[in-house]
Amino acid sequence: MVDSTTSVRESHADDESRGAEMAAEDTDSGRVTTGAEGQNKGNGFVGEVIDDGNVNFSTVSQARARKLIDNTDPKRTSNLSSNESSQAIDAAKDLYLKAGQVPGGKIVKDLESHKFWKTQPVARFNETFQHNEEGPIQVPDIDSISASPPALAIEGFEWVTVDLTNDTEMNEVYDLLKYHYVEDDEGTLRFRYPKAMLKWAMMSPGWKKQWHIGIRIGRTLCAFISAIPIVLRVKATTMHASEVNFLCVHKKLRSKRLTPILIKEITRLCNLEGIWQAIYTAGIILPTPIITCRYFHRPLNWEKLYEVGFSHVPSNSRPSYQIGKYALPSRASTRGLREMQERDLGSVHSLLERYLNRFDIAPKFTQDECEHWLLYKKDSTEERVVWTYVVEDDSKNITDFFSFYGLESSVIGHPKHSVVRTAYTFYYASEAGLTTPLDKGALETRLNSLMNNALILAKKHGFDVFNAPSIMDNGLFLEQQKFGPGTGQLHYYLFNYRVHPIAGGVDQDNNLDKDGLGGLGLVML
């Protein structure tokens, strides 16, 4: 069975656009810049649990919540007022939302309160349905789709198609994202997407120029959204899909309700291609998560992270201990490990395809897509964004591979450091995970060996911290490789598609759950 899907990656927005309409009118990207010790550096938002158990989506920063939660340690509560203690408990309750579920009790901001989402075909909170009822919520007629974009009610605003092959227009997108996409609460760290990363993310095989759209006022690009085609499998259903990314609105225009207009327009463009569903992510609760995962962080250069305020010294510790704790060998140790080459494409593609079949939700890559996402060509003139390594046995067979991609954050106003370089786990696969029956212990041992090598190589390439969400089989190596849990959560949603909650690697208390793996095999940039 083949359906059609759109994948929406919604951008981060700041305080200006939030308030009571936060979840209805704008959404968080779910990509949070978090410290390696779990201190959230993203401008995220958490709910505040009020006395009667209702959830009020208020603008309490996750960094503040993290600080309050730290102070709930019984040894440290003596210096807190009763009000601060209450805030800490409330923030903790929300930060540790039940994985894959909406918070229990009455939800103040229910679907009817979501001005935008209540008009969309999305699952309702606490909706019950049978497994044979999983699937599309609506089946629209392509003839009913408007041939024109929605009107922009603000004088001087106009729709534009952005040509990313044009250096001038690419620079406009780069500048918009650099200054308006994601920034931490204190304004000291800001994501910096290099142009090579933007090309890699938005110009994959089959990319469509008309799916890179923006809004201008005069000569200024003030809003942007993009999409790329993918094929997505949800359980037994394979869907023609698109992945929407880099939704960004200029900070001064966050109150102009441009986010729902951008979502409507990218939906319309995908609908014109016969694509009716969507998969998207947010760091806040919307109607209704199908997967909830948690970010984990592993310092590679702890001293630098400490100096820029990205990490902190735990109580009863000292900097020298932390530096030693996160030290790594100077060389990778796995026999047969080497950088991926073009001749490995067929083997890597086959291995990845078989490995992803283990998960409930995963992409279906062609070999061309595998090449695009994983293979770095040494003759390329572009800045490098992805690193992939394979393990070759004595018979020249590829038995394992792993990959990571890199992203920089500008450090604003620091006298010594200008950037923090972050590596993110990307796709990996191992023959150890393909045995019948699965030998989970053998897979855990193998993944720990592979990911230890990934950490060593990432540090060799100058990265300062290594981030990984609790998806795929990451839960088998996160603790042993000294990843610390962050406060950031990432919720996955399906638009116009109903499916029961899927395991995201954390339990109902938001703790790592090795028995709750195998749900998600899709990595969202």
Side-chain angles (χ1 to χ4, degrees):
M1 177 180 178
V2 178
D3 289 336
S4 301
T5 299
T6 302
S7 166
V8 178
R9 177 70 171 189
E10 300 170 319
S11 92
H12 184 94
D14 68 6
D15 297 15
E16 286 183 58
S17 64
R18 299 289 180 167
E21 295 183 344
M22 174 186 66
E25 308 307 338
D26 206 347
T27 50
D28 188 294
S29 67
R31 179 183 289 290
V32 290
T33 49
T34 52
E37 296 296 331
Q39 181 182 5
N40 191 315
K41 301 295 292 184
N43 186 15
F45 289 81
V46 299
E48 185 176 32
V49 182
I50 56 182
D51 290 341
D52 62 358
N54 296 342
V55 177
N56 175 26
F57 288 90
S58 60
T59 56
V60 180
S61 76
Q62 289 184 348
R64 172 62 176 157
R66 178 71 267 167
K67 182 178 179 181
L68 289 170
I69 289 169
D70 288 342
N71 285 333
T72 59
D73 187 319
K75 297 178 181 179
R76 304 171 63 186
T77 53
S78 60
N79 64 342
L80 290 180
S81 68
S82 59
N83 182 55
E84 286 177 321
S85 295
S86 177
Q87 289 182 56
I89 294 169
D90 289 347
K93 287 179 180 178
D94 186 79
L95 279 173
Y96 301 117
L97 293 174
K98 293 181 179 180
Q101 300 179 16
V102 209
K106 180 183 176 183
I107 298 173
V108 170
K109 197 163 185 63
D110 59 14
L111 186 62
E112 291 306 310
S113 301
H114 287 273
K115 295 181 181 179
F116 173 66
W117 293 108
K118 74 177 182 180
T119 68
Q120 305 301 305
V122 295
R124 271 50 180 166
F125 287 129
N126 300 322
E127 182 178 7
T128 59
F129 53 91
Q130 301 300 315
H131 283 281
N132 61 6
E133 296 177 306
E134 293 184 337
I137 296 172
Q138 294 180 356
V139 184
D141 182 354
I142 197 168
D143 292 334
S144 67
I145 306 304
S146 173
S148 303
L152 294 171
I154 308 172
E155 184 178 356
F157 282 33
E158 63 176 341
W159 290 107
V160 292
T161 299
V162 181
D163 183 1
L164 297 183
T165 65
N166 180 291
D167 289 342
T168 300
E169 295 188 35
M170 170 59 87
N171 287 337
E172 288 184 290
V173 174
Y174 172 81
D175 286 339
L176 180 67
L177 295 174
K178 179 178 179 181
Y179 295 108
H180 303 282
Y181 194 47
V182 178
E183 186 176 293
D184 75 317
D185 284 339
E186 293 78 28
T188 58
L189 291 169
R190 181 187 294 139
F191 274 131
R192 188 172 73 184
Y193 288 89
K195 295 168 190 175
M197 161 71 81
L198 298 179
K199 290 181 179 179
W200 181 63
M202 292 190 274
M203 300 174 71
S204 58
W207 67 277
K208 301 175 186 294
K209 178 181 176 180
Q210 65 269 29
W211 286 4
H212 300 151
I213 56 177
I215 297 175
R216 286 191 189 278
I217 179 169
R219 300 180 63 182
T220 302
L221 183 69
C222 59
F224 179 76
I225 194 169
S226 72
I228 55 172
I230 64 170
V231 175
L232 181 71
R233 178 180 53 78
V234 178
K235 298 185 177 179
T237 301
T238 299
M239 309 174 185
H240 291 290
S242 66
E243 180 180 325
V244 178
N245 204 342
F246 299 109
L247 168 55
C248 182
V249 177
H250 193 288
K251 291 178 182 178
K252 293 183 178 181
L253 300 174
R254 297 271 170 84
S255 63
K256 302 298 183 182
R257 299 173 58 87
L258 295 180
T259 293
I261 295 174
L262 288 165
I263 295 173
K264 288 179 180 179
E265 175 60 359
I266 199 63
T267 300
R268 183 188 72 87
L269 291 170
C270 292
N271 287 168
L272 290 174
E273 301 288 337
I275 295 173
W276 307 109
Q277 280 74 44
I279 186 168
Y280 52 100
T281 61
I284 57 176
I285 296 288
L286 300 172
T288 296
I290 60 163
I291 293 172
T292 293
C293 59
R294 186 177 187 178
Y295 283 102
F296 288 75
H297 321 282
R298 207 288 186 186
L300 302 177
N301 185 347
W302 186 90
E303 185 173 13
K304 178 180 177 180
L305 298 177
Y306 175 64
E307 290 173 349
V308 301
F310 209 67
S311 293
H312 66 281
V313 181
S315 58
N316 302 319
S317 185
R318 58 189 185 277
S320 60
Y321 175 80
Q322 295 300 308
I323 292 171
K325 175 182 176 181
Y326 294 111
L328 288 162
S330 58
R331 286 187 174 186
S333 59
T334 298
R335 181 177 178 180
L337 180 68
R338 59 172 174 80
E339 197 166 341
M340 180 182 174
Q341 301 174 12
E342 191 166 1
R343 61 185 172 89
D344 302 320
L345 271 172
S347 297
V348 169
H349 176 242
S350 173
L351 180 59
L352 178 60
E353 188 173 37
R354 289 182 288 128
Y355 198 83
L356 291 180
N357 281 338
R358 301 172 56 249
F359 303 104
D360 291 327
I361 296 181
K364 298 280 287 185
F365 288 133
T366 65
Q367 187 162 310
D368 286 344
E369 289 172 317
C370 189
E371 178 178 3
H372 173 83
W373 293 118
L374 298 177
L375 182 64
Y376 172 72
K377 298 181 179 178
K378 295 187 180 297
D379 59 353
S380 173
T381 59
E382 299 283 357
E383 181 179 346
R384 188 169 187 176
V385 295
V386 65
W387 288 258
T388 305
Y389 293 84
V390 301
V391 178
E392 188 177 61
D393 66 14
D394 294 338
S395 300
K396 304 299 181 182
N397 296 315
I398 302 300
T399 60
D400 317 84
F401 86 89
F402 61 80
S403 61
F404 55 87
Y405 66 92
L407 187 63
E408 291 185 350
S409 294
S410 299
V411 181
I412 303 169
H414 195 277
K416 182 177 179 180
H417 303 290
S418 60
V419 297
V420 169
R421 301 190 68 222
T422 304
Y424 292 84
T425 52
F426 201 38
Y427 289 101
Y428 58 83
S430 174
E431 291 286 357
L434 299 175
T435 59
T436 304
L438 174 66
D439 187 337
K440 190 173 180 179
L443 177 60
E444 181 171 355
T445 298
R446 189 58 171 174
L447 288 182
N448 272 280
S449 174
L450 294 171
M451 292 306 157
N452 185 256
N453 288 321
L455 296 174
I456 293 168
L457 290 165
K459 184 171 184 178
K460 178 181 176 182
H461 287 294
F463 289 98
D464 302 309
V465 61
F466 204 110
N467 288 355
S470 59
I471 64 172
M472 297 183 70
D473 290 311
N474 295 357
L476 296 180
F477 64 79
L478 291 172
E479 290 181 335
Q480 188 170 329
Q481 297 307 315
K482 301 177 183 178
F483 282 77
T487 59
Q489 284 189 323
L490 183 61
H491 307 285
Y492 280 73
Y493 303 84
L494 281 171
F495 181 88
N496 194 22
Y497 200 90
R498 184 183 290 111
V499 68
H500 286 93
I502 291 170
V506 289
D507 62 20
Q508 292 187 353
D509 295 317
N510 203 30
N511 296 317
L512 195 63
D513 182 11
K514 291 184 179 181
D515 295 322
L517 306 177
L520 182 62
L522 173 66
V523 181
M524 303 280 283
L525 298 177

